[in-house]
Amino acid sequence: MDQFILDRYAYCPASGALVNKKHGYCSTRPDKDGYLRLNIRGKQFYQHRVAWFLMTGLWPSAIDHINGVKTDN
């Protein structure tokens, strides 16, 4: 799954946008708590965790949205 995500998705730190390289956009939706989620091969991921993985190559144990904005990646 990790290699699939690396091959298929790109992250822009300046805008916070997560993009599906094949389609040119990324379909996300907020969950009941306000965090953006996306579906990758039938599994739900938080967008901010995928962004962290794309930037560092590591899955985070926890991420703090320091500004309190749950959709700010």
Side-chain angles (χ1 to χ4, degrees), residues 5-23:
I5 291 171
L6 289 169
D7 291 343
R8 183 64 61 97
Y9 293 90
Y11 174 68
C12 176
S15 68
L18 189 65
V19 177
N20 182 314
K21 294 176 188 177
K22 183 177 180 181
H23 302 294

Side-chain angles (χ1 to χ4, degrees), residues 6-67:
L6 289 169
D7 291 343
R8 183 64 61 97
Y9 293 90
Y11 174 68
C12 176
S15 68
L18 189 65
V19 177
N20 182 314
K21 294 176 188 177
K22 183 177 180 181
H23 302 294
Y25 65 91
C26 190
S27 178
T28 60
R29 58 184 167 78
D31 67 6
K32 64 180 177 54
D33 296 320
Y35 293 101
L36 295 176
R37 294 182 139 231
L38 67 152
N39 185 320
I40 301 175
R41 290 191 155 179
K43 185 175 178 184
Q44 292 290 313
F45 289 87
Y46 286 111
Q47 183 174 319
H48 57 274
R49 294 178 61 81
V50 174
W52 183 276
F53 172 71
L54 290 171
M55 294 301 295
T56 67
L58 303 170
W59 288 103
S61 57
I63 296 178
D64 179 18
H65 290 264
I66 197 163
N67 64 2

